[in-house]
């Protein structure tokens, strides 16, 4: 197993290996997205309190989950980059920052659109919203480091350290609705015998969450392969 991971850290091997998965990941993403959106936006019943406006959760909640999940992936890759100094892990950090910022922005925008009919305002300095906004700034910080430091290895080291330090914000986001008085809905209970959401709404949500995860893997593979090509061209130009 360790030998395979060591082999996977080679940009050339990774480029070829990831390329084989891209068509399958793209197909699975499209199927899950199609099923999840139709199930959530058309088939799922109307909420008795929020009416049709609640349907934004089928985009908002998976995006919010992914905003935190991608950050953890980025931080783990940052740790690997600092300890083992593999090029692939360094690239994962930089590419996760871009993808994570996208998911976080989607979560914030859809949350604002959901907040207007629910709370009567697009934005309030609620603990959950504020900590999610800080997460977006952390992603921007990693992106800025990579953009401003010319030496990729030095940039990777600085970005990895920021990613690891910023992990402290993830439990703050998750438990913010528990630790402080919050307008935001409490965390959903989806694994107990009596989940907080009706199965007719929960299942399409889980399908969309899975679709977002598969899409993340597909997009990460695409961006890593593009970065590998970009670095190879830059190396050839230098020689």
């Amino acid at each position: 197993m360790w030998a395979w991971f060591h082999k996977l850290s080679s940009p050339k091997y990774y480029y070829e290996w990831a390329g084989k998965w891209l068509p399958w990941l793209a197909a699975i993403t499209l199927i899950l997205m199609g099923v999840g959106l139709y199930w959530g936006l058309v088939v799922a019943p109307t909420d008795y309190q929020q009416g049709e406006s609640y349907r934004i959760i089928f985009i908002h909640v998976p995006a919010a989950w992914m905003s935190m999940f991608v950050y953890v992936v980025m931080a783990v890759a940052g740790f690997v980059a600092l300890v083992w100094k593999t090029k692939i892990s360094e690239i994962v950090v930089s590419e996760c920052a871009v993808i994570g910022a996208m998911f976080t922005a989607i979560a914030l925008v859809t949350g604002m659109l959901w907040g207007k009919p629910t709370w009567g305002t697009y934005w309030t300095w609620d603990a959950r919203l504020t900590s999610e906004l800080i997460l977006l700034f952390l992603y921007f910080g990693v992106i800025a480091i990579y953009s401003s430091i010319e030496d990729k290895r030095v940039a990777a080291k600085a970005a990895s350290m920021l990613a690891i330090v910023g992990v402290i914000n993830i439990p703050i986001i998750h438990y913010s609705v528990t630790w402080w008085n919050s307008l935001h809905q409490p965390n959903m209970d989806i694994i107990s015998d009596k989940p907080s959401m009706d199965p007719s709404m929960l299942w399409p949500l889980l399908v969309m969450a899975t679709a977002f995860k598969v899409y993340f893997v597909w997009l990460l593979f695409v961006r890593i392969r593009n970065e590998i090509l970009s670095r190879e061209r830059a190396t050839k130009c230098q020689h």
Side-chain angles (χ1 to χ4, degrees), residues 26-45:
I28 294 171
T29 298
L30 290 174
I31 292 170
L32 289 175
M33 282 283 187
V35 171
L37 286 173
Y38 181 78
W39 198 350
L41 301 181
V42 179
V43 178

Side-chain angles (χ1 to χ4, degrees), residues 71 75 134-135 138 160-171 173:
Y71 195 93
I134 291 172
L135 181 65
L138 285 168
S160 297
M161 292 176 66
L162 175 59
I164 293 170
V165 171
V167 166
I168 192 173
N169 191 47
I170 300 302
I173 295 174

Side-chain angles (χ1 to χ4, degrees), residues 115-220:
K116 180 60 175 177
T118 305
W119 303 333
T121 180
Y122 287 110
W123 182 266
T124 178
W125 292 101
D126 177 85
R128 172 61 63 83
L129 273 67
T130 304
S131 54
E132 186 75 8
L133 181 61
I134 291 172
L135 181 65
L136 181 62
F137 290 151
L138 285 168
Y139 279 126
F140 284 163
V142 174
I143 295 171
I145 288 173
Y146 270 100
S147 301
S148 60
I149 301 178
E150 197 169 323
D151 189 321
K152 294 293 185 182
R153 304 311 294 264
V154 175
K157 184 177 180 179
S160 297
M161 292 176 66
L162 175 59
I164 293 170
V165 171
V167 166
I168 192 173
N169 191 47
I170 300 302
I172 292 176
I173 295 174
H174 181 73
Y175 292 107
S176 57
V177 293
T178 304
W179 291 343
W180 295 285
N181 292 327
S182 176
L183 289 173
H184 196 281
Q185 289 86 344
N187 293 325
M188 286 188 297
D189 181 6
I190 62 175
I191 60 174
S192 67
D193 294 334
K194 294 182 179 180
S196 56
M197 180 180 286
D198 187 83
S200 62
M201 301 174 181
L202 177 60
W203 281 109
L205 179 63
L206 294 178
V207 171
M208 285 300 296
T210 305
F212 271 50
K213 276 193 170 58
V214 178
Y215 172 67
F216 160 65
V217 176
W218 175 82
L219 185 58
L220 182 62

